[in-house]
Amino acid sequence: MAQHWTEVIPSDHYTVALNGLLHDYDRKILVFLYQPLIGTIAYSLYMTLWMEVEENRIWSSSSRNHHGLMSMMDLSLKEIYEARKKLEGIGLLKVYVKEGENREFIYQLQPPLSPSTFFLDGMLNIFLYKKIGKTQYTRLKRFFSDEEYSNLHSDYKEVTTAFHEVYTSGQQIAKEYNDDLSISPKGEWVDRMESVKIQIPWQTFNFSLLEAGLSESLVPRKALTQTVKDAISNLAFLYNIDVMEMKNIVISAMNEDDEVEMDELRKSARDWYQMNHRDELPSLITQTQPVHSLSITEKPKSKEEELIHYFDTTSPIQFLKDLSGGAEPSKTEIKILEDVMFHQKLPPGVMNVLIDYVMRKTDKKLTKAYVETIASHWARKSIQTTANAMALAKKEHQQYLKWAENKKVGKRSSKSNTKKAVTRTELLPDWFEEETSENKPVQQKQEQKDEHLDLNMKEFQELMKRRNGGGQ
């Protein structure tokens, strides 16, 4: 993600626009359906921008600078920028910019999805269910629905009079009236616009490979309509389904008319995920360290701060890719990350420190038992920032060595273990300083420093180059 100071500064101005009128009912939708997914700060930003537009208007009366928005919300510019990105990603905000001496932004608020569309979305509703649980989700479904009219009034019949039975057309309209009626407004109508569902781009899924692997007799090409492809790309993103698995899911959703049943497609994808994740559902997780848990809030001033900033602004999956030179993480590694982040609730930046520490000590193998042991320890310690994770790793290093020994497979004699414990050279991340090992011999500490094979500055620079697109 780009750094906020390169995207917006306090003196930059903005104007608020609405993509059609927003109604009071939208507030309930935003509070109950969107707020659990985007958080309170992003919700507050949406409502603050909305309030800048006068009632029954779709443009704010004047532009303001971001410094005023910071003061009004009592937030830093970075917090506002991160909240803005959440609104953009979930489809509640479109941003337009005009470059100049001072940039000028248009923040166009998008209406939320209607409850019926949201609960049938196939992606946002899954994330909401995972976030708030079955009881609250069921309560919200009842809150946004009511019993069908026909069920309540089954013994009634409709006797409504039709328009043509009441009204008739008068004399021919004069020409001057025709001219008036044909004139469009100079601006745009103040009206209610349809909200747009979230759609993952097709480019994120290899449809060519999918089609090549599908037999024409089982799945005709005409069955893969635009609607079906939209659903496939969303489901692949939601459940992290690869092409081979998706092929089987599509085949299972075919009906006797050689069409893909959309409900069956979603159900098959959900069943596949739950079968492989112990009946869990996917969570909408922040891919990088949350704003409130950042260790570095200003531009990094040292190499160590650059490394911390890198951990904070890189997703764990991307970090694994960087460590392996751009290669995709295995399914096993991804599952380890998911389990730890879901069950231990470790933030992404903290997870990156854990990955770095474990992989440097285990010959770049993400050992599940070892990761879970340290992760549970950090969770009990309520570690939420990258800097605190690095500090705790230094402090508890000797204890982690014992845990690593206990996890090793194979029988070794006590004598052999004792000998190796004295002579081994520990492989540690370059950020690791032996601040807590004052009693260790100077020569041994020097040997460890000299033999660090981990994330030294050269490797770190290579990681940053790959992350910025120079190595991929």
Side-chain angles (χ1 to χ4, degrees):
M1 183 180 292
Q3 310 310 320
H4 74 280
W5 60 81
T6 66
E7 298 292 318
V8 60
I9 59 176
S11 61
D12 289 340
H13 281 70
Y14 70 92
T15 303
V16 182
L18 306 182
N19 186 17
L21 288 179
L22 294 172
H23 304 311
D24 186 64
Y25 191 60
D26 293 322
R27 301 175 196 267
K28 294 183 179 180
I29 298 173
L30 290 165
V31 169
F32 293 123
L33 303 185
Y34 281 87
Q35 186 176 220
L37 301 180
I38 62 178
T40 56
I41 295 179
Y43 167 77
S44 296
L45 177 60
Y46 187 99
M47 298 303 295
T48 300
L49 295 176
W50 182 0
M51 292 303 103
E52 291 192 21
V53 182
E54 295 180 7
E55 188 175 0
N56 296 326
R57 296 288 91 193
I58 57 176
W59 283 91
S60 58
S61 57
S62 61
S63 65
R64 304 184 182 185
N65 62 35
H66 285 76
H67 186 273
L69 185 62
M70 294 162 60
S71 300
M72 185 186 308
M73 299 190 68
D74 192 26
L75 295 172
S76 69
L77 187 60
K78 183 172 181 60
E79 289 174 311
I80 290 175
Y81 176 75
E82 295 289 349
R84 192 191 94 184
K85 286 298 180 183
K86 287 186 177 182
L87 294 177
E88 292 175 40
I90 209 164
L92 292 175
L93 180 68
K94 288 186 177 180
V95 179
Y96 304 87
V97 62
K98 181 174 73 174
E99 297 291 344
E101 183 176 347
N102 283 323
R103 279 170 296 206
E104 296 182 14
F105 291 89
I106 295 177
Y107 292 150
Q108 187 187 57
L109 297 180
Q110 308 298 308
L113 296 174
S114 66
S116 60
T117 305
F118 187 100
F119 281 106
L120 296 175
D121 179 69
M123 184 161 63
L124 292 182
N125 59 325
I126 298 295
F127 288 137
L128 182 66
Y129 185 96
K130 174 67 177 180
K131 183 72 175 180
I132 65 178
K134 179 180 179 180
T135 301
Q136 181 71 353
Y137 185 84
T138 304
R139 189 187 77 83
L140 287 178
K141 286 184 69 176
R142 289 197 301 266
F143 180 84
F144 284 106
S145 62
D146 207 343
E147 190 167 353
E148 192 173 351
Y149 180 85
S150 59
N151 294 337
L152 293 173
H153 304 87
S154 57
D155 54 343
Y156 288 71
K157 67 176 182 178
E158 184 178 0
V159 293
T160 307
T161 304
F163 177 87
H164 69 277
E165 295 174 331
V166 179
Y167 302 100
T168 185
S169 177
Q171 297 179 353
Q172 186 176 359
I173 299 176
K175 183 180 183 302
E176 60 268 22
Y177 294 137
N178 280 330
D179 293 338
D180 290 338
L181 292 173
S182 65
I183 296 175
S184 298
K186 293 181 180 179
E188 57 181 312
W189 296 110
V190 177
D191 201 356
R192 171 71 172 184
M193 298 297 177
E194 291 296 324
S195 50
V196 180
K197 294 177 64 175
I198 292 178
Q199 178 57 51
I200 305 301
W202 287 11
Q203 292 81 355
T204 62
F205 187 80
N206 193 336
F207 280 100
S208 297
L209 185 58
L210 176 66
E211 292 177 0
L214 288 172
S215 168
E216 179 71 20
S217 60
L218 291 176
V219 183
R221 294 293 177 268
K222 65 178 183 179
L224 297 179
T225 63
Q226 179 176 341
T227 301
V228 171
K229 287 186 175 181
D230 286 345
I232 288 175
S233 59
N234 277 4
L235 291 170
F237 169 83
L238 174 64
Y239 297 117
N240 194 29
I241 304 174
D242 61 23
V243 174
M244 297 305 295
E245 292 294 346
M246 184 60 74
K247 180 184 71 172
N248 298 328
I249 290 172
V250 171
I251 292 174
S252 69
M254 295 298 296
N255 62 20
E256 62 274 10
D257 297 323
D258 285 337
E259 297 174 343
V260 177
E261 290 281 358
M262 300 302 296
D263 289 341
E264 186 61 32
L265 183 69
R266 296 189 183 98
K267 181 179 182 301
S268 296
R270 184 171 63 251
D271 290 345
W272 173 86
Y273 184 89
Q274 291 183 307
M275 182 178 66
N276 289 278
H277 294 81
R278 296 177 299 198
D279 288 333
E280 292 285 342
L281 288 173
S283 298
L284 182 63
I285 59 173
T286 305
Q287 293 186 348
T288 57
Q289 189 76 354
V291 173
H292 61 82
S293 299
L294 291 175
S295 300
I296 306 295
T297 57
E298 303 295 335
K299 189 172 182 179
K301 299 180 177 63
S302 66
K303 294 299 182 183
E304 181 180 0
E305 288 189 353
E306 285 184 11
L307 180 57
I308 293 175
H309 183 72
Y310 170 70
F311 283 146
D312 280 346
T313 56
T314 304
S315 70
I317 290 181
Q318 181 61 46
F319 182 52
L320 273 178
K321 289 174 65 176
D322 290 348
L323 286 177
S324 57
E328 292 290 338
S330 67
K331 288 185 178 180
T332 302
E333 291 173 332
I334 293 175
K335 190 175 188 310
I336 292 173
L337 297 185
E338 285 182 345
D339 289 345
V340 171
M341 293 182 74
F342 290 166
H343 299 301
Q344 304 298 342
K345 309 299 182 186
L346 292 185
V350 174
M351 193 70 199
N352 285 337
V353 178
L354 178 57
I355 293 170
D356 188 44
Y357 181 84
V358 171
M359 291 192 71
R360 306 295 171 170
K361 288 182 54 54
T362 56
D363 194 23
K364 295 195 174 182
K365 296 176 183 176
L366 203 60
T367 309
K368 185 175 188 291
Y370 194 28
V371 170
E372 289 179 342
T373 300
I374 299 178
S376 63
H377 181 236
W378 289 7
R380 288 193 298 272
K381 290 282 189 177
S382 300
I383 300 301
Q384 293 295 308
T385 68
T386 300
N388 286 346
M390 293 165 70
L392 186 61
K394 299 172 188 177
K395 179 180 178 182
E396 302 290 345
H397 173 53
Q398 296 303 320
Q399 178 63 53
Y400 297 161
L401 288 182
K402 294 179 182 178
W403 290 345
E405 288 296 322
N406 292 336
K407 303 294 180 186
K408 286 188 175 179
V409 179
K411 297 181 179 180
R412 295 182 298 180
S413 65
S414 300
K415 182 177 180 180
S416 174
N417 286 341
T418 304
K419 181 179 179 181
K420 289 190 177 182
V422 174
T423 60
R424 66 182 297 180
T425 299
E426 296 299 337
L427 302 181
L428 301 170
D430 206 42
W431 49 263
F432 200 103
E433 299 288 346
E434 295 286 358
E435 297 172 349
T436 60
S437 304
E438 297 298 331
N439 297 328
K440 188 172 291 186
V442 175
Q443 183 179 355
Q444 186 178 351
K445 288 196 288 185
Q446 185 61 43
E447 288 176 356
Q448 289 187 349
K449 183 176 180 181
D450 292 342
E451 295 198 22
H452 274 175
L453 301 178
D454 307 291
L455 194 60
N456 54 36
M457 291 316 300
K458 182 178 179 181
E459 290 178 342
F460 172 56
Q461 290 168 359
E462 288 297 320
L463 289 179
M464 293 299 291
K465 185 186 297 183
R466 287 197 291 269
R467 183 170 181 264
N468 293 328
Q472 294 185 24

